[in-house]
Amino acid sequence: MISSRFARLPTYLCMAFIFFYSFPAFSALLVDDCDGNGLRGHWTSYVDPHSYVSPNPFTYSIGGRSVLCARLDFELKPGLQYPYAGMTDSFPAQDLSTYEGVRFWAKGKGVWSCMLPIPATAAEYNHYSSPFSATADWKLYEIPFSKFTQVWGTKQTWDPTSITGVQFSAGGNAG
């Protein structure tokens, strides 16, 4: 049961998350289906000092495109110019240079960013990112690496040979 303060902005993200080749005949790299399969990374949530996430720390929820899904309920509060909340799946560095992009199922509300951290962006958290708009129904999102950009901070060269996780971040206006 979600408390009423979070009921306004429920957001669910199911991570049957994979990196895919450009040709459908090739297999994909399963990162996490939330059922214990894939790279077996470590999921955590994060939030600015004024906002709320629930549950904290991160946990799984029943439902979605598999038995379990990654779920984040949050409320962005005033206090920062750009409030934020999100969740990340960290895993050992992977060489994904033979892949073309990412694929995942999600449902929720609002505009999110899918971010890919690499060692060069770790210090400033200016990871390569691509926005997507979550919908009320489960939807398959496919984002080619060519759509990922850095939107702030010191520009770093894209290096798909050492991707260390995937992050999903929501931000914007308080409320």
Side-chain angles (χ1 to χ4, degrees):
M1 184 63 127
I2 301 170
S3 70
S4 62
R5 74 174 186 220
F6 297 111
R8 285 185 268 138
L9 296 174
T11 301
Y12 312 87
L13 290 178
C14 180
M15 296 300 100
F17 180 78
I18 57 178
F19 292 95
F20 64 89
Y21 290 101
S22 59
F23 301 104
F26 293 105
S27 64
L29 173 66
L30 176 63
V31 174
D32 196 344
D33 64 0
C34 297
D35 292 334
N37 301 304
L39 296 178
R40 298 181 188 196
H42 176 72
W43 281 97
T44 58
S45 60
Y46 57 89
V47 64
D48 71 65
H50 305 285
S51 299
Y52 299 100
V53 296
S54 177
N56 191 7
F58 176 84
T59 190
Y60 295 109
S61 177
I62 295 174
R65 301 296 297 190
S66 58
V67 175
L68 297 174
C69 67
R71 178 178 173 154
L72 185 70
D73 295 307
F74 65 93
E75 185 175 356
L76 300 179
K77 296 285 194 177
L80 292 179
Q81 183 176 4
Y82 301 107
Y84 61 87
M87 57 187 168
T88 183
D89 184 11
S90 300
F91 46 79
Q94 299 291 311
D95 180 356
L96 301 174
S97 58
T98 60
Y99 294 86
E100 295 292 322
V102 298
R103 179 182 297 145
F104 58 92
W105 287 92
K107 86 173 190 175
K109 293 181 181 179
V111 176
W112 288 76
S113 290
C114 177
M115 299 186 295
L116 300 174
I118 58 175
T121 62
E124 289 186 64
Y125 300 102
N126 58 337
H127 307 310
Y128 277 81
S129 67
S130 182
F132 67 96
S133 295
T135 63
D137 296 316
W138 288 105
K139 179 180 174 183
L140 179 63
Y141 295 85
E142 295 181 314
I143 307 172
F145 288 149
S146 62
K147 298 289 184 188
F148 284 80
T149 61
Q150 287 182 288
V151 294
W152 65 276
T154 306
K155 300 296 181 197
Q156 301 294 335
T157 302
W158 168 246
D159 181 11
T161 64
S162 60
I163 294 176
T164 59
V166 59
Q167 294 183 6
F168 294 90
S169 182
N173 299 319

